[in-house]
């Protein structure tokens, strides 16, 4: 199982050459210390939207990989040197010693953001970042990560313990409730996804989660359907949503998440 690879037909056509080159460059830099390259996020959940979604990738390496290689990897993958065809690349590198055990920490060796619609960021200090983003991403990776190179996701990414995951979801909902730096449609759809996870214990694609919430919660159906409509457009032409309705919906989401956390003793 050292070099398994997902059927490339499971990946969007627009991204296949890019992901192949990303894997090639990562293998070149990390050499024998590379363990896995995984497509996560919307790619793993089957909800990638070209012109809207980021490309989310998790890389797992042996802890002995030197820091200089992480610096070289950030340079090798940076846009526009490697031109990202999506809104951006969000790539996180973990050591096997951290990724293989449940954790509520950020824990990364490198967090790289780059691309036409993302500010360039290459950070190697996990203590400076809110942990919840990474905890949720690792939960999605464990459930559905697609193997681009190396060992499968479930062999290298441990599922976070439920209390840590519920704490991360609570923090995520608080972040999206504040709204700073987030499109309104994404705030609503992330809220839908959080509610469905609390009800089912599984991550769904944002639009699938939205359908479930719209069917079950008539009060919020028009807002959720409007958010889906907006999400299907490029970021630059996202449709504004009523501020008061978004706030009311996210307050409801927060209550559902808090209720689930209390029931679980978190």
């Amino acid at each position: 199982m050292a070099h398994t690879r997902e059927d490339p037909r499971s990946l969007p056509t627009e991204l296949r050459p890019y992901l192949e080159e990303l894997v090639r460059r990562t293998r070149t830099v990390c050499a024998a210390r590379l363990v896995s390259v995984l497509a996560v996020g919307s790619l793993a959940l089957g909800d990638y939207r070209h012109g809207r979604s980021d490309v989310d990738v998790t890389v797992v390496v042996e802890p002995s990989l030197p820091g200089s290689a992480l610096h070289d990897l950030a340079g090798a993958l940076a846009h526009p040197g490697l031109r990202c065809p999506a809104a951006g690349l969000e790539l996180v590198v973990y050591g096997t010693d951290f990724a293989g055990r449940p954790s509520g920490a950020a824990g990364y060796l490198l967090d790289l953001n780059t691309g036409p619609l993302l500010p360039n960021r290459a950070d190697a200090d996990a203590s400076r970042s809110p942990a919840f983003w990474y905890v949720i991403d690792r939960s999605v990776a464990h459930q559905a990560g697609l193997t681009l190179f190396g060992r499968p996701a479930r062999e290298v990414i441990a599922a976070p313990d439920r209390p840590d995951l519920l704490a991360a979801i609570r923090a995520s909902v608080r972040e999206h409730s504040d709204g700073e730096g987030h499109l309104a449609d994404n705030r609503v759809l992330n809220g839908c996804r959080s509610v469905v996870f609390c009800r089912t214990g599984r991550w769904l694609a944002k639009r699938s989660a939205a359908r479930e919430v719209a069917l079950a919660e008539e009060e919020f159906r028009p807002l959720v359907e409007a958010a889906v409509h907006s999400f299907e457009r490029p970021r630059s032409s996202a449709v504004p949503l009523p501020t008061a309705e978004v706030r009311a919906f996210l307050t409801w989401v927060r209550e559902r998440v808090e209720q689930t956390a209390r029931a679980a003793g978190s």
Side-chain angles (χ1 to χ4, degrees):
M1 309 232 359
H3 300 291
T4 59
R5 155 109 203 224
E6 295 293 328
D7 182 342
R9 289 173 297 181
S10 66
L11 299 170
T13 304
E14 303 94 333
L15 297 183
R16 291 174 197 168
Y18 173 73
L19 290 171
E20 288 174 0
E21 181 62 14
L22 182 149
V23 169
R24 189 192 69 78
R25 294 187 183 200
T26 303
R27 292 180 67 180
T28 298
V29 172
C30 299
R33 293 184 176 93
L34 179 62
V35 175
S36 297
V37 182
L38 308 167
V40 298
S42 60
L43 284 172
L45 294 172
D47 201 31
Y48 174 81
R49 292 282 306 158
H50 200 61
R52 163 58 74 111
S53 301
D54 296 316
V55 175
D56 296 292
V57 174
T58 293
V59 174
V60 181
V61 299
E62 296 293 345
S64 56
L65 184 76
S68 59
L70 294 169
H71 179 270
D72 292 345
L73 182 63
L77 302 183
H79 177 90
L82 175 58
R83 187 166 295 278
C84 180
L89 169 68
E90 294 187 350
L91 180 138
V92 182
V93 180
Y94 295 107
T96 53
D97 54 342
F98 175 83
R101 59 181 176 83
S103 176
Y108 57 78
L109 300 175
L110 172 68
D111 183 17
L112 174 67
N113 286 0
T114 189
L117 298 182
L118 286 184
N120 285 325
R121 174 178 182 267
D123 182 65
D125 184 357
S127 67
R128 299 189 298 191
S129 298
F132 69 87
W133 298 114
Y134 307 92
V135 176
I136 292 173
D137 284 351
R138 291 197 301 273
S139 179
V140 173
H142 179 81
Q143 174 190 304
L146 301 177
T147 306
L148 303 179
F149 172 83
R151 293 168 58 191
R154 282 181 175 259
E155 292 186 9
V156 295
I157 305 288
D161 290 332
R162 187 165 175 80
D164 288 334
L165 183 53
L166 289 173
I169 293 171
R170 291 161 81 179
S172 172
V173 172
R174 287 195 297 270
E175 168 81 13
H176 286 95
S177 295
D178 293 340
E180 187 69 27
H182 299 287
L183 291 172
D185 56 17
N186 204 42
R187 294 166 64 200
V188 171
L189 297 184
N190 268 300
C192 292
R193 196 171 68 161
S194 295
V195 167
V196 172
F197 180 85
C198 287
R199 290 175 176 173
T200 67
R202 289 192 62 77
W203 295 107
L204 293 187
K206 290 176 183 176
R207 288 180 292 177
S208 298
R211 284 193 293 271
E212 291 209 5
V213 172
L215 286 172
E217 307 296 335
E218 186 173 353
E219 174 187 359
F220 296 117
R221 187 177 302 159
L223 176 68
V224 171
E225 290 177 346
V228 171
H229 172 70
S230 176
F231 181 73
E232 291 173 345
R233 301 164 63 95
R235 292 189 189 191
S236 59
S237 57
V239 177
L241 302 177
T243 301
E245 293 182 26
V246 172
R247 187 180 299 116
F249 175 73
L250 291 174
T251 298
W252 174 81
V253 169
R254 193 167 177 172
E255 290 169 354
R256 303 286 79 70
V257 174
E258 295 284 355
Q259 184 181 58
T260 301
R262 287 194 301 271
S266 301

